[in-house]
Short mmCIF file of all heavy atoms in Angstrom, two decimals:
data_model
loop_
_atom_site.label_atom_id
_atom_site.label_comp_id
_atom_site.label_asym_id
_atom_site.label_seq_id
_atom_site.Cartn_x
_atom_site.Cartn_y
_atom_site.Cartn_z
N ILE A 518 -12.84 -6.40 -5.93
CA ILE A 518 -14.29 -6.55 -5.31
C ILE A 518 -14.66 -5.26 -4.66
O ILE A 518 -15.84 -4.74 -4.87
CB ILE A 518 -14.30 -7.70 -4.33
CG1 ILE A 518 -14.05 -8.99 -4.81
CG2 ILE A 518 -15.56 -7.67 -3.48
CD1 ILE A 518 -13.75 -10.05 -4.00
N GLN A 519 -13.75 -4.50 -4.04
CA GLN A 519 -14.04 -3.27 -3.41
C GLN A 519 -14.57 -2.19 -4.41
O GLN A 519 -15.55 -1.53 -4.23
CB GLN A 519 -12.89 -2.75 -2.66
CG GLN A 519 -13.15 -1.35 -1.97
CD GLN A 519 -12.00 -1.00 -1.28
OE1 GLN A 519 -11.18 -1.60 -0.56
NE2 GLN A 519 -11.64 0.32 -1.27
N LEU A 521 -15.87 -2.80 -7.37
CA LEU A 521 -17.21 -3.16 -7.93
C LEU A 521 -18.24 -2.79 -6.80
O LEU A 521 -19.32 -2.21 -7.19
CB LEU A 521 -17.23 -4.58 -8.19
CG LEU A 521 -18.59 -5.22 -8.55
CD1 LEU A 521 -19.04 -4.63 -9.82
CD2 LEU A 521 -18.54 -6.76 -8.59
N ALA A 522 -18.00 -3.19 -5.57
CA ALA A 522 -18.91 -2.91 -4.51
C ALA A 522 -19.16 -1.34 -4.33
O ALA A 522 -20.31 -1.00 -4.11
CB ALA A 522 -18.39 -3.48 -3.16
N GLN A 523 -18.16 -0.54 -4.43
CA GLN A 523 -18.36 0.89 -4.26
C GLN A 523 -19.19 1.46 -5.37
O GLN A 523 -20.02 2.37 -5.26
CB GLN A 523 -17.03 1.58 -4.28
CG GLN A 523 -16.33 1.35 -2.89
CD GLN A 523 -14.85 1.85 -2.85
OE1 GLN A 523 -14.17 1.88 -3.92
NE2 GLN A 523 -14.43 2.30 -1.63
N ALA A 524 -19.08 0.89 -6.63
CA ALA A 524 -19.88 1.41 -7.82
C ALA A 524 -21.29 0.84 -7.75
O ALA A 524 -22.19 1.52 -8.34
CB ALA A 524 -19.14 0.87 -9.05
N MET A 525 -21.51 -0.32 -7.11
CA MET A 525 -22.79 -0.88 -6.99
C MET A 525 -23.22 -1.18 -5.56
O MET A 525 -23.70 -2.16 -5.27
CB MET A 525 -22.83 -2.20 -7.83
CG MET A 525 -22.39 -2.00 -9.26
SD MET A 525 -22.86 -3.34 -10.25
CE MET A 525 -24.63 -3.47 -10.19
N SER A 526 -23.06 -0.09 -4.75
CA SER A 526 -23.24 -0.37 -3.27
C SER A 526 -24.76 -0.69 -3.00
O SER A 526 -24.95 -1.54 -2.09
CB SER A 526 -22.87 0.97 -2.53
OG SER A 526 -23.60 2.13 -2.96
N ASP A 527 -25.66 -0.19 -3.64
CA ASP A 527 -27.02 -0.53 -3.35
C ASP A 527 -27.33 -1.98 -3.65
O ASP A 527 -28.15 -2.67 -2.95
CB ASP A 527 -27.95 0.43 -4.09
CG ASP A 527 -27.90 1.80 -3.38
OD1 ASP A 527 -27.55 2.06 -2.31
OD2 ASP A 527 -28.41 2.83 -4.22
N ILE A 529 -25.11 -4.63 -3.89
CA ILE A 529 -24.40 -5.55 -3.11
C ILE A 529 -24.72 -5.41 -1.69
O ILE A 529 -24.43 -6.52 -0.97
CB ILE A 529 -22.97 -5.43 -3.37
CG1 ILE A 529 -22.09 -6.69 -3.14
CG2 ILE A 529 -22.30 -4.22 -2.47
CD1 ILE A 529 -20.67 -6.66 -3.56
N LEU A 530 -25.38 -4.58 -1.27
CA LEU A 530 -25.64 -4.39 0.33
C LEU A 530 -26.43 -5.56 0.85
O LEU A 530 -26.09 -6.12 1.82
CB LEU A 530 -26.39 -3.07 0.53
CG LEU A 530 -26.74 -2.89 2.05
CD1 LEU A 530 -25.46 -2.85 2.88
CD2 LEU A 530 -27.53 -1.48 2.22
N LEU A 533 -24.16 -8.54 1.29
CA LEU A 533 -23.18 -8.34 2.37
C LEU A 533 -23.84 -8.46 3.69
O LEU A 533 -23.34 -9.08 4.69
CB LEU A 533 -22.51 -6.95 2.23
CG LEU A 533 -21.65 -6.74 0.99
CD1 LEU A 533 -21.01 -5.44 0.95
CD2 LEU A 533 -20.52 -7.80 0.95
N ARG A 550 -15.34 -5.73 6.08
CA ARG A 550 -14.46 -4.73 5.51
C ARG A 550 -15.19 -3.89 4.34
O ARG A 550 -15.15 -2.70 4.24
CB ARG A 550 -13.22 -5.41 5.04
CG ARG A 550 -12.35 -4.46 4.26
CD ARG A 550 -11.06 -5.20 3.80
NE ARG A 550 -10.03 -4.29 3.18
CZ ARG A 550 -10.06 -3.96 1.98
NH1 ARG A 550 -11.07 -4.32 1.16
NH2 ARG A 550 -9.11 -3.08 1.50
N LEU A 551 -15.88 -4.66 3.46
CA LEU A 551 -16.67 -4.13 2.34
C LEU A 551 -17.81 -3.23 2.76
O LEU A 551 -18.04 -2.11 2.18
CB LEU A 551 -17.11 -5.19 1.46
CG LEU A 551 -16.14 -5.92 0.64
CD1 LEU A 551 -16.67 -7.32 0.03
CD2 LEU A 551 -15.48 -5.06 -0.38
N LEU A 552 -18.47 -3.57 3.87
CA LEU A 552 -19.53 -2.74 4.33
C LEU A 552 -18.94 -1.41 4.76
O LEU A 552 -19.65 -0.33 4.55
CB LEU A 552 -20.25 -3.40 5.59
CG LEU A 552 -21.14 -4.53 5.14
CD1 LEU A 552 -21.56 -5.34 6.49
CD2 LEU A 552 -22.34 -4.05 4.48
N GLY A 553 -17.76 -1.37 5.29
CA GLY A 553 -17.10 -0.11 5.70
C GLY A 553 -16.79 0.73 4.47
O GLY A 553 -16.96 1.95 4.36
N LYS A 554 -16.21 0.00 3.44
CA LYS A 554 -15.63 0.65 2.31
C LYS A 554 -16.79 1.22 1.35
O LYS A 554 -16.56 2.12 0.57
CB LYS A 554 -14.86 -0.34 1.48
CG LYS A 554 -13.57 -0.79 2.08
CD LYS A 554 -12.71 0.36 2.58
CE LYS A 554 -11.43 -0.13 3.31
NZ LYS A 554 -10.56 1.08 3.69
N ILE A 555 -18.04 0.65 1.46
CA ILE A 555 -19.14 1.27 0.61
C ILE A 555 -19.94 2.31 1.56
O ILE A 555 -21.04 2.68 0.99
CB ILE A 555 -19.97 0.15 0.12
CG1 ILE A 555 -20.76 -0.52 1.15
CG2 ILE A 555 -19.16 -0.90 -0.74
CD1 ILE A 555 -21.81 -1.55 0.74
N ASN A 556 -19.41 2.58 2.80
CA ASN A 556 -20.03 3.54 3.51
C ASN A 556 -21.52 3.15 3.75
O ASN A 556 -22.47 4.03 3.70
CB ASN A 556 -20.04 4.97 2.82
CG ASN A 556 -20.32 5.97 3.90
OD1 ASN A 556 -20.04 5.93 4.98
ND2 ASN A 556 -20.87 7.16 3.24
N ALA A 557 -21.73 1.93 4.22
CA ALA A 557 -23.11 1.44 4.44
C ALA A 557 -23.60 1.81 5.74
O ALA A 557 -23.60 1.02 6.72
CB ALA A 557 -23.03 -0.07 4.21
N LYS A 558 -24.16 2.97 5.86
CA LYS A 558 -24.83 3.45 7.06
C LYS A 558 -25.98 2.50 7.54
O LYS A 558 -26.32 2.41 8.69
CB LYS A 558 -25.46 4.94 6.82
CG LYS A 558 -24.32 5.89 6.55
CD LYS A 558 -24.83 7.36 6.30
CE LYS A 558 -23.90 8.42 6.09
NZ LYS A 558 -23.08 8.08 4.98
N GLU A 559 -26.74 2.04 6.46
CA GLU A 559 -27.76 0.98 6.83
C GLU A 559 -27.33 -0.16 7.56
O GLU A 559 -28.15 -0.82 8.18
CB GLU A 559 -28.54 0.63 5.59
CG GLU A 559 -29.01 1.76 4.61
CD GLU A 559 -28.01 2.14 3.66
OE1 GLU A 559 -26.77 2.03 3.88
OE2 GLU A 559 -28.44 2.65 2.58
N ALA A 560 -26.03 -0.48 7.54
CA ALA A 560 -25.51 -1.65 8.13
C ALA A 560 -25.01 -1.43 9.58
O ALA A 560 -24.62 -2.38 10.26
CB ALA A 560 -24.33 -2.14 7.26
N ASP A 584 -14.78 3.68 9.05
CA ASP A 584 -14.89 4.06 7.58
C ASP A 584 -16.31 4.53 7.34
O ASP A 584 -16.34 5.65 6.53
CB ASP A 584 -14.73 2.76 6.74
CG ASP A 584 -13.17 2.40 6.76
OD1 ASP A 584 -12.32 3.22 7.11
OD2 ASP A 584 -12.98 1.22 6.40
N ILE A 585 -17.32 4.09 7.86
CA ILE A 585 -18.75 4.68 7.67
C ILE A 585 -18.67 6.12 8.23
O ILE A 585 -19.32 6.97 7.58
CB ILE A 585 -19.75 3.82 8.29
CG1 ILE A 585 -19.79 2.54 7.54
CG2 ILE A 585 -21.13 4.39 8.18
CD1 ILE A 585 -20.69 1.36 8.16
#
Side-chain angles (χ1 to χ4, degrees):
I518 294 170
Q519 179 179 321
L521 173 67
Q523 288 172 330
M525 302 195 63
S526 57
D527 291 339
I529 203 170
L530 180 59
L533 297 179
R550 179 180 183 275
L551 289 168
L552 285 170
K554 296 303 180 184
I555 67 172
N556 193 28
K558 296 178 177 61
E559 305 92 332
D584 286 339
I585 294 171

